[in-house]
Amino acid sequence: SLLMEALSASHELDLLPGNVTLPDGGLVGVGVHEVPVRIAFRSPDMAAGRYTIRVDAVSQQSLQDELRREEMAKAVAESIRFQLPQRGGAVELSDDEESDGEAFDE
């Protein structure tokens, strides 16, 4: 399920399907849901047992809107960057101007 993939990828929490209690139809509505999970640790001294994970389900449209806003903000930030042309760059000297530098002759 998407929930278990997200827990694994984002929180490094790998659960077996039998350790997650979802409603029969899954999480069908948007909003915050509490999902009971059972976590068994390797060491008996650890606090193994039942826990509740809060899940914030959002609509696909909301995700797309958020991605669009992020892309627009990035595009605006990149369009603000500009480069001014450099003034007074290297200028080629004519033969007459080069003769003025006789102080360098040995």
Side-chain angles (χ1 to χ4, degrees):
S1 80
L2 290 175
L3 173 62
M4 292 174 54
E5 289 174 21
L7 289 172
S8 179
S10 300
H11 303 286
E12 297 181 7
L13 180 60
D14 296 322
L15 298 172
L16 297 171
N19 291 344
V20 179
T21 306
L22 290 172
D24 290 336
L27 302 178
V28 294
V30 297
V32 177
H33 302 271
E34 293 189 356
V35 178
V37 297
R38 199 175 67 232
I39 301 174
F41 294 99
R42 290 183 187 160
S43 169
D45 297 336
M46 300 296 284
R50 290 191 138 321
Y51 300 91
T52 301
I53 296 176
R54 293 182 58 135
V55 177
D56 187 9
V58 295
S59 69
Q60 185 69 28
Q61 181 67 38
S62 296
L63 285 176
Q64 290 172 345
D65 289 346
E66 183 178 341
L67 287 173
R68 223 175 276 121
R69 279 191 299 273
E70 289 173 4
E71 289 172 4
M72 288 291 287
K74 183 178 177 183
V76 168
E78 288 177 2
S79 70
I80 291 174
R81 290 188 222 153
F82 58 91
Q83 192 170 16
L84 293 174
Q86 294 184 356
R87 293 185 172 187
V91 177
E92 188 175 327
L93 298 175
S94 67
D95 289 341
D96 293 339
E97 292 172 328
E98 288 178 6
S99 63
D100 291 342
E102 291 188 24
F104 294 109
D105 291 340
E106 293 183 24

